[in-house]
Amino acid sequence: QVQLVESGGGSVQAGGSLKLSCAVAGDTVSSLSMGWFRQAPGKEREGVGIISRGDDSAVYADSVKGRFTISQDNAKNTLYLQMDSLKPEDTAMYYCAADPYYWRTLLDLTKEIFAYRGQGTQVTVSS
C-alpha cells in the first residue's frame, strides 16, 4: 500500500514562496506517475502539475506555469512543489497524488482516477 504524506503548507503574503513536500512510502517515486492538485472551498478541483512515469518533464496548469515547479528526489523518495510569486487565488488545500499507470494527465488529477492521494496541506496567500 502506497502512502503519501504532504508537508510544507502555511500562510504567506502575496509574492512570497512556499515549498511543498510529498513523502512516498510503499513504492518509489520513479515508478509512479505523480502530481499535485488543489481545491479551494466552493471551487472545482484543479490539477496543478504532473510528472508521468513515462515522461521526464512536468506539465503545468496555465494558472501556475512559470511560477510553480515540480521536482522529485529519488534518494529521499519525495516529490516537491516549489511555489513562487504566490497570489491570493493560489489559496487552497493542496494534495499530492500518485498512480502506477505509465501516463497520466492534468485532467486526470481533477477526477478520482489516481490510486493514491495524501491528506492535503493548506496554503493561504494573503494580499
Side-chain angles (χ1 to χ4, degrees):
Q1 181 75 10
V2 174
Q3 291 185 321
L4 309 176
V5 179
E6 302 101 330
S7 61
S11 297
V12 66
Q13 288 192 328
S17 298
L18 283 173
K19 186 174 185 178
L20 307 184
S21 300
C22 174
V24 180
D27 207 334
T28 58
V29 170
S30 58
S31 65
L32 297 165
S33 291
M34 297 197 68
W36 294 90
F37 67 91
R38 64 188 181 186
Q39 189 152 26
K43 294 186 178 181
E44 293 186 351
R45 182 186 295 186
E46 180 185 18
V48 173
I50 184 170
I51 297 181
S52 279
R53 181 180 171 187
D55 204 346
D56 291 331
S57 59
V59 177
Y60 300 94
D62 288 342
S63 59
V64 307
K65 200 173 295 182
R67 301 188 298 120
F68 289 13
T69 304
I70 290 177
S71 62
Q72 61 186 55
D73 186 329
N74 291 341
K76 294 183 178 180
N77 214 31
T78 300
L79 184 76
Y80 300 99
L81 180 65
Q82 176 68 45
M83 305 185 295
D84 299 317
S85 302
L86 282 161
K87 305 176 180 179
E89 51 264 43
D90 294 320
T91 295
M93 185 74 80
Y94 283 72
Y95 298 88
C96 173
D99 194 275
Y101 195 67
Y102 217 69
W103 296 101
R104 285 297 180 204
T105 68
L106 278 177
L107 183 61
D108 290 340
L109 282 168
T110 68
K111 306 173 184 177
E112 295 292 342
I113 288 179
F114 277 69
Y116 312 103
R117 56 177 276 182
Q119 81 289 350
T121 185
Q122 177 68 37
V123 172
T124 302
V125 184
S126 58
S127 57

